Amino acid sequence: MRAAVLHEIGQDKLEVLDDVEAVGFGPGRARIRVRATGLCHSDLSAMGGVLPQPAPFVPGHEGAGEVLDVGEGVSHVKPGDRVVVCWLPACGVCPACKRGQTQLCLAGFMNAGTPNFRRPGGDLFGFAGTGTFAEEVVVDAGCAVPIPDDVPFDIAALIGCGVTTGLGAALNTADVEAGSSVAVIGCGGVGISAIQGARLKGAAEIVAVDPVGSRRESALRFGATRAVSPDELADAKQQVTAGEGFDYVFEVVGRSATARTAYDTTRRGGTLVVVGAGAMDDYLQLNMFELFFDEKRILPSMYGGGDVLRSYERTIALWRAGRVDLDGLITHRVPLSEINEALDQMRTGTALRTCIEI
């Protein structure tokens, strides 16, 4: 089958090969024919070494498709079912799952070190234990989450990561209060989803912050009340909050520099939500006095900060009701053969979300 492969960490181009085989099928597993996958910035981060990922590997973790086969013991899906790929399945029995924090389950990470693919030259890994830049993928059955027939594959793919992460950061982690002021730093697909979540919760002011003009324009269409460049953020803070700072600030970049800016932009007693996935050697520095004196809440948000399956269901319900715009998030649709052009669009910020049609 065809799959896009990164041979070494640090390379910026993928090679689309046709001699790749999905491996690992057996009891408790599912084989999925991938129909659509979103290009998420986390894929770029893994390719560049920001996120830990063994190579060579097939990127992609935001996918949807049809079940081709299931192994022994799998009963919740069957061949022909439409599914979204959940890159972080919950085991249901670990302490985090028993507490209801299924987004913190580590079971999915246990599979990340096992090769998902093979080609004549050797084994290949799948990013985050999946690897959806391929025509087929074999995953733990918990990764195959059934979706209704009326949800298109491209929409379902977005729900598999970016939309769930962004909406959940506002709805679950922050639980934004109606009438509050919000700033979102980083307005790609995840940031736009956070903006939509803040709008759903009734935020009075939502300031979108991004260096790319087209993304700022998009943020306004999705519910931001104003959109500014990073250099204009201080003025926006003064104009919207009289200099006090925002009630909620979402950092959706994954860098200590922007997290520090987000902290400084949050009012005393306000809430900073860290959504961006950053590097292990990138440290955020806060002094102990400001940490105590300002009483700002710092809330990391992993995969939307809530039960993932419930978040999928909620997002589909909101999409059906016209309360969130998922179709508008997909600004580019390209075949797998044009994956490198799509990567360049992501790097330059000219695409909110690119759907790879496989």
Side-chain angles (χ1 to χ4, degrees):
M1 67 171 185
R2 294 184 308 143
V5 176
L6 186 83
H7 296 286
E8 296 180 4
I9 299 298
Q11 292 179 332
D12 60 359
K13 300 293 183 184
L14 299 174
E15 184 177 8
V16 179
L17 303 170
D18 60 6
D19 60 355
V20 179
E21 175 188 4
V23 299
F25 184 74
R29 308 281 281 175
R31 183 187 299 274
I32 299 172
R33 170 64 170 95
V34 180
R35 295 296 183 182
T37 182
L39 175 54
C40 179
H41 202 277
S42 294
D43 298 308
L44 292 178
S45 295
M47 291 171 60
V50 173
L51 298 180
Q53 170 63 45
F57 75 97
V58 176
H61 61 290
E62 191 180 76
E66 300 162 331
V67 175
L68 295 177
D69 200 2
V70 297
E72 182 181 353
V74 178
S75 59
H76 74 287
V77 290
K78 63 184 184 302
D81 284 353
R82 298 160 59 90
V83 294
V84 59
V85 176
C86 175
W87 61 270
L88 193 59
C91 70
V93 298
C94 71
C97 285
K98 289 181 178 179
R99 287 192 296 265
Q101 295 177 303
T102 57
Q103 77 279 11
L104 300 182
C105 178
L106 294 175
F109 288 106
M110 300 300 103
N111 296 323
T114 302
N116 293 52
F117 306 95
R118 181 189 302 125
R119 58 185 303 260
D123 291 334
L124 304 171
F125 297 93
F127 178 43
T130 58
T132 54
F133 291 178
E135 292 179 322
E136 294 181 14
V137 62
V138 173
V139 294
D140 183 274
C143 296
V145 179
I147 55 172
D149 290 342
D150 66 328
V151 182
F153 288 124
D154 54 359
I155 296 299
L158 297 189
I159 294 172
C161 185
V163 168
T164 295
T165 299
L167 279 179
L171 303 182
N172 300 327
T173 306
D175 191 15
V176 171
E177 184 177 352
S180 60
S181 60
V182 171
V184 177
I185 302 177
C187 298
V190 178
I192 292 293
S193 296
I195 288 171
Q196 295 200 72
R199 184 196 64 200
L200 281 169
K201 294 290 286 184
E205 294 279 355
I206 305 173
V207 177
V209 187
D210 199 281
V212 180
S214 60
R215 286 187 171 182
R216 296 196 296 271
E217 293 173 3
S218 295
L220 293 171
R221 295 199 305 271
F222 284 95
T225 55
R226 66 178 69 195
V228 300
S229 69
D231 292 341
E232 298 169 322
L233 177 56
D235 288 340
K237 173 184 170 182
Q238 181 64 39
Q239 293 168 12
V240 175
T241 73
E244 181 186 19
F246 294 90
D247 297 315
Y248 303 88
V249 180
F250 295 83
E251 196 280 345
V252 201
V253 180
R255 295 178 182 171
S256 60
T258 47
R260 180 69 229 198
T261 297
Y263 183 89
D264 294 337
T265 307
T266 305
R267 67 165 172 81
R268 295 186 67 217
T271 300
L272 163 61
V273 183
V274 180
V275 187
M280 289 189 290
D281 60 353
D282 187 11
Y283 295 94
L284 172 62
Q285 291 191 340
L286 300 168
N287 68 62
M288 292 302 295
F289 178 78
E290 66 183 336
L291 196 59
F292 159 78
F293 187 72
D294 290 336
E295 203 178 290
K296 299 179 183 182
R297 296 190 304 161
I298 303 175
L299 302 179
S301 184
M302 176 73 171
Y303 208 176
D307 180 83
V308 175
L309 300 187
R310 176 68 190 97
S311 294
Y312 289 175
E313 294 173 356
R314 178 179 61 191
T315 301
I316 291 172
L318 290 169
W319 169 74
R320 281 174 170 165
R323 300 293 304 281
V324 296
D325 179 3
L326 304 187
D327 306 77
L329 279 173
I330 304 173
T331 54
H332 296 74
R333 289 176 171 83
V334 300
L336 186 62
S337 59
E338 297 178 15
I339 184 66
N340 286 309
E341 290 85 344
L343 289 172
D344 290 338
Q345 291 169 344
M346 175 68 75
R347 292 187 182 99
T348 58
T350 56
L352 287 180
R353 254 315 185 262
T354 296
C355 174
I356 311 299
E357 299 173 333
I358 301 178

